[in-house]
Amino acid sequence: PPPSTCSGSQIDVNTLNGGEPGTYSWFTTFPSEGNQITQPVTITGDTPVWVLFTETATGCTDSAQVILPLAPEPLFSYTVPPQLCIGDLLDVNTLNGFEPGTYQWYDDIPSAGNLITGSVSYSVSSVVWLLFIDNVTGCTDSTEVLITVNSLPDFTLNTPQPICEGATYDLTTLNGSGSGTFLWYEGLPSLGNLMPDVVIPQTANSYWAVFSDNATGCIDSAEVNIPVLPPPSAIMSGSAT
């Protein structure tokens, strides 16, 4: 019997000829009514064709219907991508399903896109494409997958009030609006030290608020300078006795 053929693929029916001495002619319907097939046949479903055999020795003919079977569409799955924050890395190959076959990811439709081979940093929501090749039939199918990138968190900070040198300051009083968590650092968060709620600011100190959004887990930061007032200069008058 003819092999199963993937949807949209072509098959040359002459490759199905047997080895008996004679002539094989292929038709789209019954040979007395149909058109002879001279080009490869495109398969979009189970496709009936007719073969007419003319025996060399006797000149006698016989015919038979042949079904060109359509291979089943590949079945495959993938894991829905996690929502990302701006600049996060994602290796889409970690989203592959478990069906026997080859998973290939592209940054556009597979026929025009570039193959994604490793982790990619995403700054905006993006569509990628998954191409699956079935191990059994060799047939392929593809689908687009949305990678969602959340925007930066929306938060505010309160304006710091000046304090006297040496006085304590509660950094949590600077926490403004936003549904999330505020953490405070001395210096850049990537380099600075996580601070307690209450500090004694120095003139040259700068503090950074790191805000983590409850809904997305994404973070953003902002710098705050607390004005530190110098101690007053005492002026004394009069004479010593």
Side-chain angles (χ1 to χ4, degrees):
S4 296
T5 305
C6 304
S7 179
S9 297
Q10 293 185 326
I11 183 171
D12 182 353
V13 290
N14 294 296
T15 62
L16 306 177
N17 293 349
E20 297 79 5
T23 302
Y24 291 80
S25 300
W26 292 87
F27 296 83
T28 56
T29 58
F30 194 77
S32 62
E33 303 173 358
N35 298 315
Q36 188 168 359
I37 299 171
T38 59
Q39 300 291 331
V41 177
T42 300
I43 303 299
T44 57
D46 288 344
T47 304
V49 294
W50 285 81
V51 60
L52 174 68
F53 177 72
T54 306
E55 187 175 48
T56 299
T58 65
C60 295
T61 63
D62 196 8
S63 61
Q65 186 185 54
V66 178
I67 301 297
L68 305 178
L70 175 69
E73 290 287 335
L75 296 176
F76 67 101
S77 62
Y78 63 90
T79 301
V80 176
Q83 293 194 7
L84 304 180
C85 302
I86 294 175
D88 280 354
L89 292 171
L90 176 65
D91 183 355
V92 288
N93 294 290
T94 62
L95 306 177
N96 294 350
F98 299 99
E99 293 78 11
T102 301
Y103 293 78
Q104 295 178 345
W105 292 86
Y106 293 84
D107 59 5
D108 202 343
I109 56 173
S111 60
N114 299 307
L115 183 66
I116 302 173
T117 57
S119 296
V120 175
S121 175
Y122 293 91
S123 57
V124 295
S125 294
S126 305
V127 171
V128 295
W129 283 81
L130 170 59
L131 174 70
F132 178 75
I133 306 170
D134 189 277
N135 275 353
V136 177
T137 65
C139 297
T140 65
D141 197 5
S142 61
T143 186
E144 63 179 27
V145 178
L146 174 64
I147 298 176
T148 301
V149 178
N150 293 303
S151 59
L152 290 174
D154 184 17
F155 73 103
T156 63
L157 296 174
N158 297 324
T159 302
Q161 299 300 311
I163 63 168
C164 298
E165 185 177 344
T168 60
Y169 200 99
D170 187 348
L171 295 174
T172 63
T173 62
L174 301 177
N175 296 350
S177 63
S179 179
T181 302
F182 292 84
L183 293 176
W184 288 91
Y185 290 81
E186 184 180 31
L188 285 171
S190 59
L191 303 174
N193 299 313
L194 181 64
M195 302 302 292
D197 291 344
V198 178
V199 296
I200 301 177
Q202 305 298 315
T203 303
N205 286 145
S206 67
Y207 295 94
W208 283 78
V210 175
F211 177 78
S212 176
D213 188 272
N214 282 344
T216 65
C218 296
I219 63 173
D220 197 9
S221 60
E223 184 181 13
V224 174
N225 288 299
I226 300 173
V228 178
L229 303 175
S233 298
I235 300 176
M236 302 183 67
S237 62
S239 59
T241 57

